Amino acid sequence: MSIGPICVSRIFCFVATWILTLATPIAVLPAYGQAAIPIPPASTQSQTSGEPVTTSPDSVSSEYGQLSAGLAEQMPQTSLSADQIINILQQSPDLVVELKSELADRMQQQGVQINPNDISDQTLYSQISSNSNLRTSITSVMRARGYISNDDLQSMGSSVPEEDSARLLPSTGSSLSRGDNVVEADSGTSERSSRVGENDNSTNADPFMRSDRSRQSVEENSRRHEKVNASTDSPKVLRRSAPYDLQSMRDLYTQVPNENTQLRRFGSDVFVNRSVSAAVNTPLDVPLGPDYIVGAGDALIINLWGGVTQSITRTVDRDGSIFLLDAGSIQIAGLSLGKAQDLIGSKLKQQFRNAQVSVTISRLRSVRVYVVGDVQQPGGYDISALATPLSALYAAGGPTSVGSLRTLLHYRAKQLVEKIDLYDFLLHGIRNGSAPFESGDTLLVPPAGKQVAIFGAIKRPAIYELKAEETTLASVVEDAGGFTAAASLNHIRIERIDAHSQRVTVTLSDHDTQSLESAGGVIDNFKVEDGDRIRIEPILPYSQQAIYLAGHVVRPGRLPYSDGMRLSDVLRSYQDMLPEPAAHGELVRLVPPDLHAETIDFNVPDVMIGNANIDLRPFDTIRIFGRYEIDAPKVTIRGEVLRPGTYPMSKGMTAAGLVRMAGGFKRDALLENADLTSYKVSNGNHLVEDLSTVKIGAAVAGADTQADVPLKPGDILAIHQITSWNDMGESISISGQVRFPGSYGFTDGEHLSSVLRRAGGLLSTAYPIGAVFTRVQVRELEQKSREELIRQIETNSAAARLSPSLAGSNAGGELQLIKAQQEQVLSDLKNHAPTGRMVIHINADIDSWANTPADIELRRGDKLMIPKRPGFVLVTGQVYNVTALTYAPDKTAGWYLSRAGGTNATANRKEIFIIRANGSVVGRHSGGWFDTDVLSTKLNPGDVVVVPQKILGGSLFWKTLLSSGQLAASVAVTAAVAAAAL
């Protein structure tokens, strides 16, 4: 199947739109792995490992949009050059195959039926070279699929926009300022960040406060780290080059990549972008119970009703008392809210009969709490009396990279009030730490305990802190949210630090986890240790119970396989296939144990009727071909039809059917007979041609049922043209000094004299000697000759033009003169287009030359211009005064030349020539070898004397070339002289 220009344009109308769809986030189309990009390691090391940190680019996001707006607005304007993209595609043939396959599928959805194999590499490469939007889109896809990285773009000379670079390479500063433990999930490393802000007082007056701008930057960078690890995610794989263009083979040629994403300490994001003021000034939005201990600074509202109605607001002073006008000073600090209400009520009831009293807290007091240890901003903080340890930790900016999240110690003087585990809140939402703070209390954040990193097919990959002395893998998995549905419990790999001496790798497959039940038991009992890095491997990225349907079918792709499945279970009827499938089909089987490919042929019609059936196996690929894809039978029609060309030969096609397929006859078609050329192979070694005549008009009209003939593959039908059809409407244009100028039609074989008579003959003012007769065919021949002459002059080297006698100390100057002369001749040739003039010999007495050799036969497009008598002779070329001189009878060329001032120093007097008014040329040898004096020639009106320039250089070939160029450029002058005489 060949692809014409229109089809090619339709193909690449869809390319950029489809590329945008390919460039959707990796969570949606994660067909390729991501390449890691190294970043500078932090200054300190984590207890989990000590190798350099690397990170991976985020997925490039783009929504499916219009070509004009989507490419410009949604995709980062970063593009490799066409050569760089083509080089990568040539090194990754699988990517080329996938581009073509996906493109063909999308075009079929748009109603354009095309085979991916019909899209040539050269067609794809040419579009990449000419379409900048396509290059941008493919670059984004290559980067998102892991074929190139951000470093590759920089090394190849492509700039990455700042915004896009932030997405590709998360800022290391965000991790450091946040105090995370950042671990590269693949490299076996983790880096503990610096304790930023802990001892730095240079930027803020208050060493315990961070700027809002810094916190906002931290939060933005944190969002860039967000990673979805859902059970429904497609597996992330690295594709290897497959030897065959089979989807099954491409599925198998995949590798599960190492994780390249950054791991952070679980719970560190809780303390990002939390301002101290929000934690300190906690509004009183919850009711206080009667057990609340009243203290100095609390604001009370005392509502009194009964004998009198009154509302009184009092604040507990530093002595712990409040003053009431009727009851005096009442000491309530240290009492619970219920007891304080009873005490106040008893005092007021002594003053007011039947008084009822209610006491509430309108504003809580602040307490000074010291947050110390491994926190971002250790120091003293004034917080609400109801604040929890989590609120105090918020105020201090959260723990540093070495601060514990599982053991927070609440001290009151030397007494330990309680221990707080933040994992209860982070994992289960339980806010423990019920003991209220009192002024002077201390919250100590000790260094973190044992830590393990878990990643891979887990819902919440991160670094987790262990609390118990002995923790099982099952509890770590529970903290991490559990396994994803794609987790392979038989392939769990643990990298462990052995006794501060070496790293070892432990796999649970060593513990006989051959079944899901045994794997679960091992996980429940397996003890994790400090520094373990646990990788949960995913299951195989492809289905092991699948077959593949490809080719000329309605629904190509992957199909489920079941035991006992046969070929007829897939190919049930012709409705499952596109129109006109070929009878030949293929079953490509990957034969175990090494899964090498073997092809099994089958007959499609036999499968349809159940005579030929094949048992299927996993990874089988069923290929169905179109009738016109495998040695397609074709026929050709030429000549006078609307759409001549080569057509697929359908079943039962006849000559009349082919004419109708080609759009029918043109008006100039000869309907009587057509030629039908057929071919057949004789003895299998040579071709025999058979030419026959078909009564094509009767066959198409249906007037003669015997006229139509069936066609065979390779037949050529030629529809002829009616005799002399192209000669209809032939005309000649006559202008100038004739009685009736205009366009005159003529019949085939008519001569010039006949048309001139119909034009009324020549006027008395006509000058027939200077008549200019032009013909299209002559102009075309002159153009070809002139182009060849220009090519020879341009390709002849200047060094070859320099004669040995001129070669010397001034050779450079001579070469410059030769070059200038060459450019002048070339300019004259290019600026004076050929006229196509034919030399004719006519006069005013038409009868005197009619029916003689001078009476030429006319052709379509001929033009005749009859000028007036010019009355002058033109002298041009290398003379002192290029001018037109009034004609003087019986004067020679030498006489006119002398009147023009004679020749100058650069003239070539030996090669002076004359161009007559009728276009003929008189040169040095025109009158014979013994009559070489051109200047003695008598001139007529309209003649032109041309004095050529002396040709520099000693090469005879070069002199001949330039002389020819000077002559060709001067011939057009006579036509201009005649036109001026009109």
Side-chain angles (χ1 to χ4, degrees):
M1 176 179 178
S2 61
I3 303 178
I6 297 178
C7 188
V8 170
S9 65
R10 293 187 67 187
I11 289 173
F12 288 95
C13 181
F14 296 106
V15 168
T17 303
W18 164 71
I19 288 294
L20 285 177
T21 306
L22 282 184
T24 49
I26 295 300
V28 180
L29 293 172
Y32 297 92
Q34 296 175 317
I37 305 175
I39 61 174
S43 59
T44 60
Q45 296 180 346
S46 168
Q47 60 188 21
T48 311
S49 60
E51 300 177 10
V53 175
T54 61
T55 186
S56 65
D58 292 344
S59 310
V60 179
S61 297
S62 175
E63 297 179 353
Y64 186 92
Q66 297 295 329
L67 291 178
S68 59
L71 287 172
E73 297 177 3
Q74 298 174 11
M75 301 295 293
Q77 298 301 312
T78 304
S79 174
L80 298 177
S81 67
D83 292 339
Q84 291 168 341
I85 293 177
I86 293 173
N87 184 48
I88 294 175
L89 292 179
Q90 290 174 344
Q91 297 176 2
S92 306
D94 270 6
L95 181 58
V96 177
V97 171
E98 185 170 349
L99 287 175
K100 294 179 181 179
S101 177
E102 292 287 347
L103 177 59
D105 290 343
R106 291 198 168 272
M107 292 191 63
Q108 289 177 2
Q109 296 174 8
Q110 300 290 339
V112 180
Q113 299 299 327
I114 189 171
N115 192 307
N117 296 327
D118 292 331
I119 305 175
S120 66
D121 292 350
Q122 188 59 40
T123 302
L124 181 63
Y125 296 158
S126 65
Q127 290 297 319
I128 292 174
S129 301
S130 60
N131 193 326
S132 60
N133 288 339
L134 181 61
R135 291 195 297 272
T136 301
S137 301
I138 292 180
T139 301
S140 299
V141 172
M142 288 180 173
R143 182 173 58 198
R145 297 297 179 87
Y147 282 96
I148 57 175
S149 66
N150 192 21
D151 286 345
D152 295 332
L153 287 174
Q154 295 177 352
S155 64
M156 292 178 181
S158 298
S159 60
V160 181
E162 181 178 354
E163 179 182 358
D164 188 46
S165 177
R167 289 204 308 267
L168 294 177
L169 185 58
S171 171
T172 56
S174 65
S175 297
L176 297 178
S177 63
R178 190 174 54 246
D180 298 350
N181 276 357
V182 182
V183 174
E184 167 53 45
D186 171 59
S187 63
T189 68
S190 73
E191 290 293 337
R192 181 162 295 171
S193 62
S194 302
R195 300 173 66 174
V196 175
E198 187 172 356
N199 298 312
D200 184 9
N201 301 334
S202 59
T203 58
N204 297 294
D206 185 351
F208 306 116
M209 293 291 292
R210 287 185 296 176
S211 67
D212 292 339
R213 181 178 180 183
S214 172
R215 293 176 180 274
Q216 182 178 1
S217 175
V218 168
E219 184 177 22
E220 291 176 354
N221 288 327
S222 177
R223 284 197 295 267
R224 296 193 184 109
H225 282 277
E226 292 179 1
K227 176 178 178 296
V228 177
N229 199 19
S231 300
T232 55
D233 287 351
S234 298
K236 298 176 178 60
V237 296
L238 295 176
R239 295 195 178 272
R240 303 292 298 275
S241 297
Y244 299 103
D245 183 14
L246 298 172
Q247 185 179 354
S248 60
M249 191 70 78
R250 293 199 300 271
D251 283 351
L252 291 173
Y253 267 77
T254 57
Q255 290 179 324
V256 178
N258 289 323
E259 289 284 347
N260 293 321
T261 55
Q262 284 186 340
L263 290 181
R264 290 169 297 159
R265 194 158 66 121
F266 175 75
S268 57
D269 285 343
V270 176
F271 303 98
V272 176
N273 197 26
R274 297 295 187 267
S275 65
V276 174
S277 60
V280 174
N281 299 321
T282 303
L284 183 58
D285 55 0
V286 294
L288 297 180
D291 295 331
Y292 173 74
I293 305 302
V294 179
D298 284 340
L300 307 181
I301 297 178
I302 304 172
N303 295 313
L304 181 65
W305 73 94
V308 64
T309 300
Q310 190 175 3
S311 180
I312 305 171
T313 301
R314 293 291 184 268
T315 302
V316 182
D317 58 20
R318 292 183 180 181
D319 296 332
S321 61
I322 60 173
F323 181 79
L324 298 177
L325 293 177
D326 297 319
S329 179
I330 304 174
Q331 184 76 26
I332 61 173
L335 299 178
S336 66
L337 182 59
K339 291 182 180 181
Q341 178 175 301
D342 293 340
L343 178 60
I344 294 174
S346 64
K347 294 291 186 181
L348 292 178
K349 286 179 181 180
Q350 296 176 8
Q351 306 298 327
F352 302 98
R353 182 189 307 177
N354 298 325
Q356 301 294 323
V357 178
S358 173
V359 180
T360 59
I361 303 294
S362 64
R363 182 174 56 82
L364 293 174
R365 68 183 183 277
S366 296
V367 296
R368 169 62 65 123
V369 176
Y370 296 93
V371 184
V372 297
D374 291 292
V375 292
Q376 296 286 355
Q377 292 95 23
Y381 293 91
D382 292 327
I383 63 177
S384 168
L386 288 180
T388 64
L390 187 60
S391 302
L393 197 57
Y394 273 142
T400 63
S401 59
V402 297
S404 175
L405 289 172
R406 305 219 61 176
T407 306
L408 276 65
L409 303 178
H410 179 189
Y411 284 98
R412 186 165 295 151
K414 295 183 179 181
Q415 180 183 359
L416 177 62
V417 177
E418 63 177 341
K419 294 182 179 180
I420 303 100
D421 185 356
L422 290 184
Y423 273 31
D424 290 339
F425 171 72
L426 299 175
L427 292 174
H428 310 295
I430 301 174
R431 297 180 62 179
N432 56 17
S434 58
F437 282 114
E438 295 183 4
S439 292
D441 283 1
T442 301
L443 181 65
L444 173 64
V445 180
K450 298 179 179 179
Q451 296 186 47
V452 296
I454 184 168
F455 57 95
I458 198 77
K459 293 181 180 178
R460 203 161 43 223
I463 304 169
Y464 291 89
E465 184 180 349
L466 307 180
K467 186 174 183 181
E469 291 297 327
E470 291 188 0
T471 305
T472 63
L473 178 58
S475 64
V476 177
V477 171
E478 181 181 359
D479 289 345
F483 299 110
T484 65
S488 175
L489 303 187
N490 295 334
H491 296 83
I492 299 178
R493 188 171 60 201
I494 301 171
E495 296 177 7
R496 174 166 292 175
I497 300 174
D498 186 13
H500 303 280
S501 61
Q502 62 179 351
R503 295 183 182 273
V504 296
T505 300
V506 180
T507 58
L508 292 195
S509 57
D510 298 337
H511 296 77
D512 298 326
T513 58
Q514 299 302 318
S515 65
L516 184 61
E517 293 78 8
S518 62
V522 172
I523 292 172
D524 289 339
N525 299 320
F526 186 83
K527 305 298 183 183
V528 296
E529 297 180 5
D530 188 18
D532 282 355
R533 302 187 67 257
I534 306 166
R535 174 181 172 87
I536 312 298
E537 297 285 356
I539 59 177
L540 292 177
Y542 53 84
S543 173
Q544 294 180 289
Q545 297 293 316
I547 58 174
Y548 300 83
L549 185 60
H552 202 71
V553 293
V554 176
R555 301 176 184 87
R558 192 183 295 109
L559 300 176
Y561 169 80
S562 59
D563 293 338
M565 197 172 187
R566 309 191 76 185
L567 188 57
S568 59
D569 296 330
V570 179
L571 303 178
R572 298 181 179 88
S573 68
Y574 281 104
Q575 293 182 350
D576 295 329
M577 290 172 273
L578 300 179
E580 294 192 88
H584 172 71
E586 292 179 352
L587 178 65
V588 183
R589 174 161 292 169
L590 303 184
V591 181
D594 59 345
L595 297 181
H596 64 276
E598 292 183 0
T599 302
I600 303 172
D601 296 331
F602 64 87
N603 185 273
V604 174
D606 287 346
V607 174
M608 293 293 101
I609 62 177
N611 289 342
N613 215 342
I614 304 174
D615 292 331
L616 298 180
R617 298 179 183 176
F619 304 116
D620 281 353
T621 297
I622 303 168
R623 278 179 170 175
I624 304 298
F625 300 97
R627 183 171 183 267
Y628 305 107
E629 293 177 349
I630 51 172
D631 195 16
K634 296 182 180 181
V635 290
T636 303
I637 184 169
R638 299 171 179 168
E640 306 311 307
V641 290
L642 290 179
R643 294 185 295 272
T646 300
Y647 290 86
M649 193 190 79
S650 58
K651 186 176 182 180
M653 180 178 279
T654 63
L658 179 58
V659 172
R660 297 188 186 99
M661 184 69 71
F665 297 113
K666 291 183 178 179
R667 287 183 298 167
D668 60 344
L670 180 64
L671 303 182
E672 182 178 358
N673 293 312
D675 291 339
L676 179 62
T677 305
S678 301
Y679 302 89
K680 63 179 180 179
V681 179
S682 177
N683 298 327
N685 56 13
H686 68 280
L687 196 67
V688 178
E689 179 178 337
D690 180 23
L691 180 63
S692 60
T693 302
V694 180
K695 296 180 179 179
I696 194 64
V700 174
D704 186 356
T705 57
Q706 302 298 323
D708 203 3
V709 296
L711 299 180
K712 299 185 294 295
D715 282 358
I716 300 176
L717 182 64
I719 309 298
H720 304 302
Q721 190 182 62
I722 297 175
T723 303
S724 301
W725 178 270
N726 287 333
D727 295 335
M728 290 192 308
E730 292 180 324
S731 64
I732 177 175
S733 176
I734 300 178
S735 60
Q737 303 304 303
V738 295
R739 190 172 301 277
F740 307 113
S743 180
Y744 288 85
F746 59 88
T747 59
D748 190 24
E750 191 171 357
H751 291 263
L752 178 61
S753 61
S754 174
V755 178
L756 274 177
R757 287 191 180 100
R758 282 191 280 145
L762 278 64
L763 299 176
S764 59
T765 57
Y767 186 61
I769 297 177
V772 178
F773 185 88
T774 60
R775 178 163 287 175
V776 175
Q777 294 83 353
V778 176
R779 182 167 60 249
E780 292 174 349
L781 293 175
E782 285 183 1
Q783 182 64 31
K784 292 180 180 179
S785 177
R786 178 169 295 194
E787 290 175 354
E788 177 61 21
L789 180 60
I790 291 174
R791 186 192 64 81
Q792 291 183 0
I793 295 176
E794 289 178 339
T795 56
N796 192 34
S797 67
R801 306 169 205 148
L802 190 61
S803 63
S805 61
L806 296 177
S809 59
N810 196 28
E814 295 292 338
L815 286 176
Q816 292 296 328
L817 293 176
I818 294 174
K819 182 66 175 177
Q821 189 177 64
Q822 173 192 7
E823 292 177 353
Q824 179 62 42
V825 173
L826 288 175
S827 177
D828 291 341
L829 287 174
K830 294 177 181 179
N831 293 332
H832 295 86
T835 61
R837 183 177 184 181
M838 294 176 57
V839 177
I840 59 175
H841 301 279
I842 63 174
N843 53 53
D845 185 6
I846 298 177
D847 294 336
S848 65
W849 52 269
N851 300 320
T852 67
D855 193 4
I856 62 174
E857 186 176 342
L858 300 179
R859 295 286 184 271
R860 181 192 297 271
D862 287 350
K863 293 182 180 180
L864 176 63
M865 181 182 66
I866 308 295
K868 292 182 179 180
R869 181 183 177 90
F872 60 84
V873 172
L874 179 64
V875 180
T876 184
Q878 306 302 312
V879 294
Y880 284 106
N881 183 22
V882 176
T883 186
L885 302 173
T886 302
Y887 171 73
D890 298 328
K891 297 299 181 181
T892 64
W895 185 86
Y896 285 103
L897 182 60
S898 63
R899 297 299 184 275
T903 61
N904 57 31
T906 61
N908 186 0
R909 293 185 56 85
K910 294 182 180 180
E911 299 297 336
I912 295 175
F913 57 91
I914 300 169
I915 302 177
R916 294 288 193 184
N918 63 359
S920 60
V921 179
V922 178
R924 182 168 54 155
H925 301 295
S926 298
W929 291 99
F930 302 102
D931 186 13
T932 60
D933 189 6
V934 177
L935 294 180
S936 63
T937 303
K938 293 183 179 181
L939 301 185
N940 297 318
D943 289 350
V944 180
V945 180
V946 180
V947 181
Q949 187 179 25
K950 185 183 299 182
I951 306 301
L952 301 179
S955 170
L956 179 61
F957 175 71
W958 175 248
K959 291 181 178 180
T960 304
L961 279 180
L962 285 195
S963 298
S964 301
Q966 290 178 344
L967 176 61
S970 301
V971 168
V973 175
T974 56
V977 172
L982 287 177

